[in-house]
Amino acid sequence: RRYNTLLVKYTAHQIDIRLNRPEARNALNEEMITELTDVFQFIATMPDFRVVTLMGEGPAFCAGADLNWMQRASQLKAKDNEADAKQLYDCFEAIDQCAIPVIGGVQGYVLGGGVGLVSVCDYVVAFHRTHFSLSEVRLGLVPAIIGPFLLNKMGASWCRALFLSAERFETAKALDVGLVHEQVNAIHDLTAAIQRLSTHITAAYPGAVRTAKSFLRQLVAVSDEEKKKLAVQTLANIRVSEEAKAGILSFLEKRYKTKLL
């Protein structure tokens, strides 16, 4: 698969995706949205992939929506404007529902829709001087499409604070509000940190990792009573899987051999 706005590299079990509009600070436009949706829909059809990484070429991860695209959208008729907005939602949803872990690595600027991309990653590493902002209200807009994903990531309190203030903040605060999980002090350490995480993930049983991600996604959307049922069913199903049987047996055999030594 070839893309104009993305660099995509495939290895045995990993897909590395880089936003590739550095001249525009990797701002999201119609083409990038279509291509991101396509690559994540393709990932959904490939059972051998184990992990996805998402980064940005150049000095910025993603400076939000391309304002030329937003200006064009403002001229659309209501029905066409809704269809255009739905395409954007479908893009974030495709990343959010990816069956395998998505690791983000960010630097420079993460604004508007860029924060939305961060919100649909499972683990995010950021350079410590990265600048974040949900700046839409300063443009007369609202972070509506990314709202549901950010609500799941940060909770209502921080969404209210950051949506309304459009405050610009750095990585330390992004850690505090739950957008980011780890910071590094040098840009070149981003790749090393991401590869370390990828190694951990690919060392685990792939079926268990997929089940864990699916379980958590379902868990946040159900009632307390349904949470109990989902938890019971998930454990009951997975512990009779071939992966679980092999994993438990392997662990017990290692422990037995350790005792003999």
Side-chain angles (χ1 to χ4, degrees):
R1 277 170 140 74
R2 293 183 177 274
Y3 298 103
N4 293 322
T5 68
L6 306 176
L7 296 176
V8 182
K9 178 183 176 182
Y10 305 94
T11 56
H13 298 295
Q14 182 170 316
I15 303 178
D16 299 315
I17 302 170
R18 285 182 177 262
L19 309 180
N20 190 34
R21 297 185 70 223
E23 73 288 349
R25 290 186 175 180
N26 295 319
L28 294 162
N29 65 2
E30 304 100 310
E31 188 173 25
M32 183 180 283
I33 290 163
T34 298
E35 292 186 347
L36 275 170
T37 305
D38 181 81
V39 73
F40 275 92
Q41 288 177 343
F42 169 68
I43 291 167
T45 70
M46 302 299 289
D48 291 337
F49 290 142
R50 305 279 295 278
V51 64
V52 186
T53 69
L54 181 62
M55 302 179 72
E57 283 289 293
F61 171 68
C62 178
D66 186 302
L67 292 182
N68 290 318
W69 163 51
M70 295 298 283
Q71 187 176 49
R72 288 192 295 273
S74 70
Q75 307 302 315
L76 296 174
K77 295 180 180 179
K79 187 175 180 180
D80 293 331
N81 209 329
E82 287 182 13
D84 186 73
K86 181 181 180 298
Q87 286 183 334
L88 181 59
Y89 190 95
D90 289 344
C91 175
F92 289 109
E93 188 174 49
I95 303 171
D96 186 57
Q97 294 187 357
C98 183
I100 57 178
V102 180
I103 303 172
V106 304
Q107 79 289 342
Y109 292 91
V110 182
L111 310 178
V115 183
L117 290 176
V118 166
S119 76
V120 290
C121 291
D122 299 297
Y123 196 100
V124 181
V125 185
F127 176 56
H128 72 113
R129 291 180 181 170
T130 303
H131 300 277
F132 298 80
S133 180
L134 289 159
S135 51
E136 284 86 345
V137 294
R138 291 186 180 178
L139 300 170
L141 300 169
V142 175
I145 294 298
I146 61 177
F149 306 103
L150 284 164
L151 189 63
N152 285 338
K153 177 72 77 170
M154 299 190 301
S157 178
W158 276 115
C159 281
R160 290 172 69 164
L162 298 175
F163 280 29
L164 304 181
S165 69
E167 172 192 356
R168 181 166 291 190
F169 54 96
E170 291 194 356
T171 303
K173 185 162 185 173
L175 281 162
D176 288 342
V177 304
L179 275 174
V180 167
H181 303 92
E182 181 178 345
Q183 69 174 354
V184 295
N185 294 325
I187 288 291
H188 64 263
D189 288 336
L190 274 177
T191 303
I194 287 171
Q195 195 51 53
R196 185 196 77 242
L197 290 163
S198 298
T199 300
H200 286 313
I201 291 168
T202 54
Y205 282 96
V209 172
R210 286 173 176 259
T211 299
K213 183 167 180 179
S214 174
F215 168 68
L216 289 169
R217 189 166 57 242
Q218 294 175 71
L219 200 61
V220 299
V222 299
S223 67
D224 288 342
E225 185 59 33
E226 290 171 322
K227 283 181 173 65
K228 177 180 178 180
K229 182 179 179 181
L230 178 61
V232 169
Q233 286 181 338
T234 299
L235 179 59
N237 291 339
I238 200 165
R239 65 183 173 190
V240 298
S241 70
E242 293 305 314
E243 278 190 359
K245 290 177 182 177
I248 292 168
L249 181 60
S250 176
F251 179 82
L252 291 174
E253 288 176 343
K254 287 178 182 176
R255 188 169 67 178
Y256 178 70
K257 289 177 181 178
T258 302
K259 285 182 178 180
L260 290 179
L261 295 173

